[in-house]
Amino acid sequence: MSFVIRRSVSTLVPPKVANPQGLGAAKDAIRMARIVKFYEKLPKGPAPKREATGLLGRYQAKYFGENPSAAPIWHAIFGIMAVGYSMEYYFHLRHHKNNAH
């Protein structure tokens, strides 16, 4: 078995952090104390809700948050219509300005 295959297989198996043989040994006891200290410092409970910031963040919180609605679909439809109308209006006026007598 090549080194690459052994390396990829070894990442699938979790390390033996708290095996019974390692608890009595001095070097592993220090290691276990560091691990316990690390896990004690981790926050407990659910993560606090983050407040939406920025224009897009507030829009997503309002329309896609806990109470989603169909308003973004209507916003997209009317936005596309407004852009299309403004383009048609601009190109129509430009065409008539060049042919005016």
Side-chain angles (χ1 to χ4, degrees):
M1 193 188 286
S2 74
F3 174 74
V4 175
I5 294 173
R6 278 186 291 179
R7 177 74 177 176
S8 65
V9 171
S10 69
T11 57
L12 297 176
V13 179
K16 295 179 183 175
V17 176
N19 60 0
Q21 293 87 11
L23 288 176
K27 61 178 182 165
D28 288 339
I30 295 171
R31 181 175 170 217
M32 280 302 294
R34 278 194 238 134
I35 292 172
V36 168
K37 188 182 294 185
F38 169 75
Y39 279 105
E40 284 176 348
K41 290 180 183 177
L42 290 177
K44 306 211 178 7
K49 283 221 173 205
R50 295 181 62 189
E51 191 67 32
T53 58
L55 186 63
L56 185 61
R58 288 192 304 268
Y59 185 82
Q60 286 178 337
K62 184 174 181 180
Y63 293 112
F64 297 106
E66 294 178 12
N67 191 14
S69 69
I73 295 170
W74 290 108
H75 294 160
I77 290 170
F78 289 127
I80 291 170
M81 286 175 58
V83 169
Y85 180 77
S86 63
M87 287 173 56
E88 287 290 327
Y89 185 79
Y90 170 75
F91 289 120
H92 182 77
L93 278 181
R94 190 173 76 174
H95 171 72
H96 283 286
K97 284 182 185 176
N98 292 338
N99 293 332
H101 288 287

